[in-house]
Amino acid sequence: MKLTIHDHVLIHAMTVLGGLSLSPFDPAGAEGEQRMILSMLHDVLPKVQRAEPKLAWLVAMADRVTERPDLVDSVRHDIRASVQDWNRGRLAAAWDAIQEKAA
């Protein structure tokens, strides 16, 4: 699967939105950052690969929070889960590729 730049923005924006890369978390700047991330998602969502099954859950979550930003806090766990699933799948694919080259 070849990712587009829009797909990369989706993945990284969802990672930040899920709070996975905010360490240490800055409560004072969180609201502004969240608005910025949602704006980015709104801009890239029309151009992401919606037909790609591996991105489907991330796209669905991004659609949901851009339509209803007030839901971000209540679905943050789901956002984290979707990012974890993505990362787990990419890790497995990369490891398989390494194993195939070593064989």
Side-chain angles (χ1 to χ4, degrees):
M1 167 181 59
K2 176 108 170 102
L3 296 174
T4 68
I5 193 68
H6 299 93
D7 299 337
H8 282 286
V9 171
L10 165 72
I11 294 161
H12 297 301
M14 293 301 283
T15 300
V16 172
L17 199 59
L20 298 178
S21 66
L22 298 177
S23 183
F25 183 67
D26 176 16
E31 189 176 323
E33 183 174 20
Q34 182 171 302
R35 280 194 307 272
M36 179 184 67
I37 296 299
L38 290 171
S39 175
M40 289 176 181
L41 283 171
H42 186 269
D43 290 348
V44 300
L45 277 171
K47 296 176 183 158
V48 299
Q49 298 183 71
R50 290 182 175 270
E52 175 54 60
K54 294 177 181 175
L55 290 175
W57 184 241
L58 280 172
V59 172
M61 290 303 301
D63 282 338
R64 188 173 177 192
V65 296
T66 55
E67 290 171 11
R68 294 279 313 274
D70 58 306
L71 294 178
V72 171
D73 287 336
S74 63
V75 297
R76 199 170 306 274
H77 177 353
D78 294 332
I79 294 169
R80 287 179 182 142
S82 66
V83 171
Q84 283 291 82
D85 287 345
W86 168 262
N87 286 332
R88 217 176 273 117
R90 295 301 290 174
L91 172 63
W95 184 249
D96 288 347
I98 289 170
Q99 297 304 306
E100 287 174 11
K101 285 185 179 186

